[in-house]
Amino acid sequence: MARRGRKRRLELEAEYWRLLAAGVGSVEACRRLGIGRKTGYRWRAEKGEPPPLDLS
């Protein structure tokens, strides 16, 4: 069975967490990366806060 929904953009997600760790707000991080605020909210809800330690 084929996967449904959008493919995860792991590079963008990693950069989102780097921006948050650097003190950039979630809305601003989403704006800089060109993603929707709901995407940032979903990533935070899935991973939890604070950001994961693995930011490599």
Side-chain angles (χ1 to χ4, degrees):
M1 181 177 265
R3 179 181 168 166
R4 301 179 111 194
R6 290 184 175 225
K7 185 183 274 188
R8 286 191 81 116
R9 297 177 287 176
L10 299 177
E11 305 84 27
L12 273 180
E13 189 172 350
E15 184 60 26
Y16 173 79
W17 288 111
R18 281 189 205 92
L19 288 170
L20 290 185
V24 175
S26 179
V27 174
E28 177 62 18
C30 291
R31 188 190 66 75
R32 289 184 189 184
L33 296 173
I35 61 174
R37 289 182 300 139
K38 287 184 178 182
T39 300
Y41 176 81
R42 181 173 40 83
W43 287 344
R44 286 192 328 271
E46 288 173 358
K47 300 277 186 179
E49 289 200 44
L53 295 177
D54 181 21
L55 297 176
S56 56

